[in-house]
Amino acid sequence: MAVRGLRVLVYARDEQGQPTADMSWQPEAEQKTVQKNPNQVVSCEAGGLKHVIGFDINSGEEWGVDERSALRTATHSWAQHWTRASTSHVQWKQRLSTSANRSAYEKAFLGSSADEMPWQANLTLRPLAKRVTSSSLSVSSAVGARLPSSKPDESNIQLHFTLTARNQHTPAFEASADFAWRFEAQNWSAPELSLESQQLLLQQIKNWSSDVHKLLECESVMPEVIHASSESLRVNAGRLAGLRIGDELLLANGKNFIRKILEPGVISESVMTKVVSVSEHHAQLLISPGAKTPVQLGWRAWTTEINR
């Protein structure tokens, strides 16, 4: 495990059962960071866990009958792409939650696993009031294609994409793109998106997926304690993140732990735990004997990676 230049070489326990750790300092010049040059290939050390992103595709109700048919085609293709876009460091998972339409009271008592995912990606589709031509097309990433001039068989939409960390209000990544998409219809069948429009829209989604992967590529995965009591301890990471029964996690107050990690005795403010059960999005933890510090909601977890 590495935390801002600190590398934990090995975890152990003293005679009282308290966790100890041997650490080494990694000079800043040797730390691997994302370069500003977008064409430069960045190599980061693969961590033991994956970032889990729950994604939603929202289209609203402001669409015509013909446009709805095209929307179904497009959103199905995008959902398939994100499901297949998972890598060794990022796992995409479609959310089935309707939490956005629930009151605060309902969220408290009807919360779902989707609400607790570490990252939330949201793609919103909106119809545009005016037509968009190839000269006014605005996208966040060049896709190397020109659209034909607006015609009666075209509709105009805006895609708005955000990636937000759990319990944060400001997105870590945000982008928008306006498109003119073309319909094709045969005989009496419902209009469908032209192949050119499908490819153009999907390419934009792929570009944003790539941007997200670059953003998270060198970010450490630190699950959060979402339930803590004398009888139960749970974090918002499970099978999708790569946790397994038997894994050891070091829990600590994330804000204080990183800031004070070099101070004497700081390790006594952390708690060693072991994963005893795992679901898709959660892991149940057992606190190791001898722990004296009570675990609080919002604490962060680091995998020891001893057996990985």
Side-chain angles (χ1 to χ4, degrees), residues 230-305:
S230 58
E231 301 177 352
S232 177
L233 190 62
R234 187 166 70 245
V235 295
N236 63 338
R239 279 193 302 271
L240 286 181
L243 278 179
R244 303 168 299 193
I245 294 177
D247 284 348
E248 287 191 326
L249 297 178
L250 180 69
L251 304 185
N253 186 325
K255 296 179 181 178
N256 296 330
F257 185 72
I258 294 176
R259 186 173 64 249
K260 300 173 9 183
I261 194 169
L262 290 177
E263 298 179 8
V266 68
I267 199 68
S268 64
E269 299 178 10
S270 61
V271 174
M272 189 72 77
T273 65
K274 179 173 290 187
V275 177
V276 293
S277 67
V278 179
S279 64
E280 189 173 42
H281 298 289
H282 302 127
Q284 201 78 14
L285 308 180
L286 177 66
I287 298 177
S288 299
K292 299 180 180 179
T293 304
V295 177
Q296 304 293 329
L297 289 177
W299 276 30
R300 295 291 180 169
W302 288 263
T303 175
T304 65
E305 300 184 17

Side-chain angles (χ1 to χ4, degrees), residues 33 42 65 114 155 159 191 307:
T33 59
V42 179
V65 175
S155 184
L159 307 183
N307 56 345

